[in-house]
Amino acid sequence: METQSDHSVFLSGLIERISYRDEEGGYTVAKVKLKGRRDLVTVVGHMTAPAPGETIAMKGEWKNHVRYGEQFQIKSCTTSVPANVYGIEKYLGSGLIRGIGGGLAKRIVKVFGARTLDVLENEMESVLSVEGIGRKRLEMIKTAWNEQKEVRNVMVFLHSHGVGSGYAAKIFKCYGKGSIEAVRQNPYRLATDIHGIGFITADRIAGKMGFPKDSQHRARAGIQYVLHQLSDEGHVYCPQGELLDRSQALLGINREILKPAVRSLAIDGEIVIEEINEGQAGSRNHESAVYLSKYHICESGIAGRIRALIAAAKSMRKIDPDKALAWVEQRLSIRLAENQRQAVGTAVRSKVMIITGGPGTGKTTIIHAILKIFQQTGVRILLAAPTGRAAKRMTEATGFEAKTIHRLLMYSFQKGGFQKNEKDNLDCDLLILDEASMIDTLLMYHLLKAVPLSCTMIMVGDVNQLPSVGPGNVFGDIMASGAVPVVELTEVFRQAQASLIIVNAHKINNGKLPLTPGKGYPFDDFYFIEQEDPERVLKIVLDLVAERIPKGFNLDPLTDIQVLSPMHRGIVGAGNLNESLQKVLNPGEEGVAWGSRHFRVNDKVMQLRNSYEKEVYNGDIGKVIKVNPESKEMVVLFDGRQVPYDFGELDEIMPAYAVSVHKSQGSEYPAVVIPVLTQHYMLLQRNLLYTAVTRGKRLVVIVGSIKALALAVRNAKTRKRYTRLCQRLVGA
């Protein structure tokens, strides 16, 4: 049906299929059957939860798209349940109702005809008469039918307040049938309860619902938002004065409204306020530190547990360092360097210690030697690392099984936490942690709770790398405290000097520009391509990944080459690089969108947060193997394990053709490509460039300007993180 009024056209028809759907914003491309038209019509615009088989009434106008031809652009629309048998079958078979696929939908409609939807609503038990439906399947259909009605109500409510339909399922999953009432009472709950809905979105909803700007709900939520933002930047606490300044700038309200909000959050146990010693760097006189409660518990707990470990007796018999060194050198047919001997000697004498050093300084050799010595005494040994890739490398290098810390602590989503803890300790006498600089405050706290006090703990890492992605600077703070022995390895061994990657990593760390082949180093594992124009840098990066490196080094562009960018935004930021690399390496139209991200089968993707339910963790890289618009599910392969994602969960992952340097920590890649331009100046730091370069195993290519490279090499200032672990360890 087609009518016209002024410049707008009114159409109604049957939705045949959904070609594209942005689950976050609701933008949809659909194929619609109009009465009197032979071919399906393409309609585009924002729709609330459209489903094939529904009737759609639209107001809009015809446009001619340069690439896709004639389209109807929707200004407003409403959908209604299908009225005929064909529409009902399409509707049920669209994947809207879990448990009903295309074949089952056909059989249900064959039995009940035009009454089908009324039967599902009022006579659900009758569906048992359909072939292939037993009691278990019926219960699944019943639950899904009721949920989709509730979710649709939530979607309509949220759309009226400017929220995309992609969040409705998450909100319903969290609050159930009380979703609308929960949002009406306090929309700021969304910012803390629902992943992906931040304070800004919650504040917009609240504004549309008439919440006053100076409400205590808003003040409390804004303060918590600022603290969460700071934790995302690596801080464990915030000085109270700065917290009030930031909150005032965010909310635009008087400090006299913020102060009681801070007090009420402290009374409710949401935050902890602690006095900072006068004169401490970065603090004002008589300043207070404001912590989100969990970080205060964790930081205090780490300090207490390390002190307890140091004070407790060893579970194993004493080892003579001199005899042990002589034995292990003979056993491994090696001659340890002086600081390596010092590290091994300290390991057999100490309860807790740190070994730090850059690439090629022999950290792996020392771990191997320590393991051989302790193994000879018959003690129980555990090895762990923060990431799966780091644990795998540790296993390959030592011959001992290494696990991720999460697996070591036996995290169980069903049982609600780590099963290894202060009540059920790890079964070990020696624990060696590799890539320890990556371990953040939360994870270190949970790990230390599970370490028996009789255990010896050795932390191995590179203090010159970037600190952990999560809040804190645990490795660096423990080193700086002087509370435990530290052995720093500085000698680069001869075999490592054959790699220009390793030579240049140490040059960068010492504030010198890297060398390139031909300047006395004939090796072909490190290159710098000078180019200042961002558009040209982008083209060079695309050419390197898609053509030059695969052909020249026989490497797979998807699995072997990783682009690392200092920042997310900009022409050569991770966001635009991902979009551009996806077009080159995995082109196509089909898939699913979430906001600005588009996912297709065979895409390389990265998990953005710890998902204990899925057993996938921040920084894990996988491959999309299935996108099913009907069931609204995408399946990603992580290390041989298939992990399903509802479309509403797609904000948990991102394309990973290019990732930030921070996200690459703990990983090694056969080849890395690093764009470095002056537009990145805010993030150009020595430890960032050093971390990026040390991710490459066989090849490192830097593309950019010599000025930007020099800027990064010279900038040894690291952004100070607000932590008090060092002070706690020294008793300040």
Side-chain angles (χ1 to χ4, degrees):
M1 187 178 76
E2 186 170 329
T3 62
Q4 192 161 345
S5 173
D6 299 325
H7 297 292
S8 295
V9 176
F10 294 87
L11 300 176
S12 66
L14 186 81
I15 300 174
E16 279 284 336
R17 66 176 182 270
I18 306 298
S19 304
Y20 171 87
R21 174 80 175 155
D22 175 355
E23 292 292 331
E24 183 181 25
Y27 182 81
T28 305
V29 179
K31 294 291 186 180
V32 174
K33 177 69 176 172
L34 299 179
K35 192 174 181 180
R37 285 211 179 203
R38 181 178 174 183
D39 296 328
L40 297 178
V41 170
T42 300
V43 302
V44 299
H46 292 273
M47 307 180 198
T48 304
E54 289 184 322
T55 298
I56 183 168
M58 306 167 284
K59 176 185 176 183
E61 56 185 342
W62 292 101
K63 295 284 186 180
N64 197 35
H65 192 279
V66 175
R67 184 174 177 185
Y68 300 112
E70 186 183 52
Q71 295 180 338
F72 186 76
Q73 288 194 342
I74 296 172
K75 294 178 181 176
S76 62
C77 70
T78 58
T79 56
S80 55
V81 293
N84 58 41
V85 170
Y86 175 76
I88 292 168
E89 187 180 312
K90 292 284 290 182
Y91 182 71
L92 290 183
S94 68
L96 184 73
I97 313 299
R98 285 186 183 273
I100 300 180
L104 186 54
K106 190 182 289 288
R107 294 201 299 275
I108 293 172
V109 173
K110 187 176 180 180
V111 173
F112 299 110
R115 291 184 56 247
T116 298
L117 298 182
D118 186 55
V119 168
L120 290 171
E121 180 67 27
N122 301 305
E123 305 169 34
M124 186 67 79
E125 292 292 319
S126 303
V127 181
L128 282 168
S129 63
V130 177
E131 180 191 351
I133 296 182
R135 175 57 61 183
K136 188 175 180 181
R137 176 62 66 91
L138 179 70
E139 292 303 318
M140 185 191 303
I141 292 170
K142 189 185 294 185
T143 301
W145 178 258
N146 290 330
E147 278 190 3
Q148 67 88 19
K149 286 191 302 179
E150 294 288 347
V151 170
R152 182 173 288 259
N153 289 338
V154 174
M155 283 181 179
V156 172
F157 171 74
L158 290 175
H159 262 272
S160 69
H161 294 98
V163 182
S165 56
Y167 291 122
K170 285 188 172 187
I171 291 170
F172 181 77
K173 188 176 180 181
C174 182
Y175 304 130
K177 291 182 179 179
S179 296
I180 292 174
E181 188 56 33
V183 175
R184 277 197 180 120
Q185 285 183 0
N186 180 11
Y188 293 104
R189 292 178 61 180
L190 297 174
T192 51
D193 294 348
I194 311 296
H195 175 72
I197 298 185
F199 170 80
I200 303 302
T201 301
D203 197 35
R204 188 173 69 241
I205 298 169
K208 290 196 173 188
M209 293 174 66
F211 269 72
K213 284 191 174 292
D214 60 356
S215 75
Q216 281 294 294
H217 277 314
R218 184 169 185 261
R220 284 169 58 105
I223 290 163
Q224 287 176 293
Y225 172 72
V226 169
L227 287 171
H228 280 291
Q229 288 291 101
L230 284 161
S231 72
D232 288 343
E233 294 171 20
H235 302 291
V236 180
Y237 74 87
C238 182
Q240 187 165 349
E242 183 176 334
L243 176 63
L244 291 171
D245 290 344
R246 287 187 178 227
S247 300
Q248 188 173 18
L250 171 74
L251 301 171
I253 58 179
N254 194 289
R255 271 174 173 250
E256 297 312 309
I257 296 166
L258 291 168
K259 287 176 181 177
V262 170
R263 287 195 296 271
S264 70
L265 285 168
I267 291 167
D268 291 346
E270 298 288 337
I271 63 173
V272 173
I273 303 172
E274 184 179 81
E275 289 299 315
I276 298 176
N277 289 345
E278 188 175 339
Q280 182 182 322
S283 71
R284 306 174 188 183
N285 288 341
H286 306 293
E287 184 66 276
S288 297
V290 183
Y291 289 79
L292 288 166
S293 291
K294 64 179 178 180
Y295 293 127
H296 187 267
I297 291 167
C298 291
E299 190 179 77
S300 303
I302 290 170
R305 196 70 184 178
I306 287 176
R307 285 197 298 267
L309 269 171
I310 294 167
K314 283 193 175 193
S315 62
M316 61 193 82
R317 62 184 172 85
K318 287 188 176 180
I319 300 170
D320 185 307
D322 294 331
K323 288 181 179 178
L325 282 162
W327 176 84
V328 81
E329 285 184 329
Q330 184 180 27
R331 184 68 182 267
L332 298 178
S333 301
I334 58 172
R335 177 66 181 169
L336 295 172
E338 186 52 43
N339 58 359
Q340 287 183 313
R341 292 172 66 83
Q342 183 189 351
V344 174
T346 305
V348 300
R349 286 191 298 266
S350 306
K351 278 297 301 298
V352 182
M353 77 164 295
I354 283 177
I355 300 170
T356 184
T361 57
K363 294 193 297 293
T364 302
T365 301
I366 292 171
I367 294 174
H368 200 52
I370 291 168
L371 284 169
K372 284 293 182 188
I373 291 168
F374 279 91
Q375 186 185 29
Q376 194 68 12
T377 67
V379 301
R380 300 163 301 170
I381 299 170
L382 289 176
L383 276 63
T387 67
R389 289 191 176 198
K392 187 178 180 181
R393 284 205 318 275
M394 200 178 186
T395 300
E396 291 168 352
T398 64
F400 287 75
E401 183 191 9
K403 296 180 180 179
T404 63
I405 295 172
H406 286 92
R407 193 155 287 135
L408 188 75
L409 298 179
M410 296 172 58
Y411 188 89
S412 169
F413 180 77
Q414 291 75 20
K415 295 179 182 178
F418 293 107
Q419 299 310 291
K420 290 294 180 182
N421 48 42
E422 66 272 36
K423 294 177 182 176
D424 183 8
N425 282 176
L426 293 166
D427 188 21
C428 68
D429 302 302
L430 172 67
L431 174 63
I432 300 181
L433 301 171
D434 200 11
E435 296 285 0
S437 63
M438 289 181 62
I439 306 175
D440 65 21
T441 301
L442 284 169
L443 189 56
M444 184 61 88
Y445 171 63
H446 285 293
L447 175 63
L448 286 171
K449 281 199 299 181
V451 176
L453 292 179
S454 58
C455 182
T456 293
M457 187 171 79
I458 300 171
M459 291 172 277
V460 184
D462 187 346
V463 75
N464 293 307
Q465 288 186 24
L466 290 168
S468 58
V469 175
N473 184 25
V474 177
F475 191 70
D477 283 350
I478 296 172
M479 278 187 65
S481 72
V484 306
V486 176
V487 177
E488 185 169 3
L489 308 175
T490 54
E491 182 181 344
V492 181
F493 292 96
R494 186 175 298 172
Q495 61 269 31
Q497 291 176 11
S499 165
L500 206 50
I501 294 173
I502 292 176
V503 168
N504 281 333
H506 286 277
K507 279 190 166 295
I508 290 166
N509 197 35
N510 291 322
K512 297 176 182 176
L513 283 171
L515 299 167
T516 54
K519 296 181 180 179
Y521 283 87
F523 318 117
D524 61 352
D525 63 352
F526 187 102
Y527 295 90
F528 173 65
I529 300 173
E530 189 170 0
Q531 177 57 247
E532 294 194 7
D533 177 51
E535 293 284 359
R536 287 289 304 144
V537 169
L538 176 62
K539 288 180 181 178
I540 292 168
V541 169
L542 296 179
D543 186 41
L544 284 166
V545 176
E547 299 290 338
R548 290 167 64 179
I549 294 175
K551 288 178 181 176
F553 293 84
N554 194 29
L555 294 174
D556 186 290
L558 284 173
T559 58
D560 296 335
I561 306 170
Q562 185 62 59
V563 179
L564 303 178
S565 178
M567 64 192 300
H568 184 75
R569 294 176 181 171
I571 293 172
V572 287
N576 189 56
L577 280 166
N578 265 318
E579 196 174 318
S580 303
L581 286 162
Q582 185 188 47
K583 287 175 183 175
V584 172
L585 299 176
N586 191 27
E589 294 298 329
E590 299 210 351
V592 61
W594 180 274
S596 60
R597 302 172 194 154
H598 197 117
F599 299 101
R600 305 182 184 120
V601 171
N602 294 323
D603 270 342
K604 180 162 71 170
V605 295
M606 174 180 278
Q607 179 75 12
L608 294 176
R609 69 183 184 100
N610 290 337
S611 175
Y612 298 112
E613 182 178 5
K614 298 180 187 299
E615 295 184 29
V616 183
Y617 303 105
N618 189 357
D620 285 356
I621 286 182
K623 176 184 176 183
V624 177
I625 59 172
K626 189 186 296 181
V627 177
N628 190 333
E630 289 191 356
S631 63
K632 297 187 182 301
E633 185 178 82
M634 188 168 91
V635 180
V636 180
L637 191 68
F638 288 100
D639 287 328
R641 192 168 61 88
Q642 295 187 17
V643 179
Y645 289 79
D646 289 336
F647 282 0
E649 298 174 320
L650 294 183
D651 57 343
E652 294 183 15
I653 57 175
M654 64 170 279
Y657 300 98
V659 301
S660 69
V661 179
H662 264 103
K663 289 287 187 185
S664 74
Q665 283 178 268
S667 297
E668 274 188 352
Y669 312 95
V672 297
V673 179
I674 311 162
V676 178
L677 288 170
T678 50
Q679 63 182 223
H680 299 146
Y681 75 95
M682 288 288 288
L683 292 168
L684 289 179
Q685 297 172 354
R686 186 183 297 173
N687 62 350
L688 182 135
L689 182 61
Y690 173 80
T691 301
V693 167
T694 53
R695 299 310 92 203
K697 200 171 181 181
R698 288 175 52 190
L699 176 68
V700 171
V701 184
I702 297 176
V703 186
S705 75
I706 193 72
K707 182 180 178 182
L709 190 62
L711 196 65
V713 168
R714 286 197 302 266
N715 184 12
K717 293 179 182 176
T718 56
R719 295 176 68 185
K720 169 84 174 156
R721 291 186 170 193
Y722 290 127
T723 73
R724 299 201 69 242
L725 179 58
C726 180
Q727 286 78 13
R728 293 184 196 282
L729 284 168
V730 298

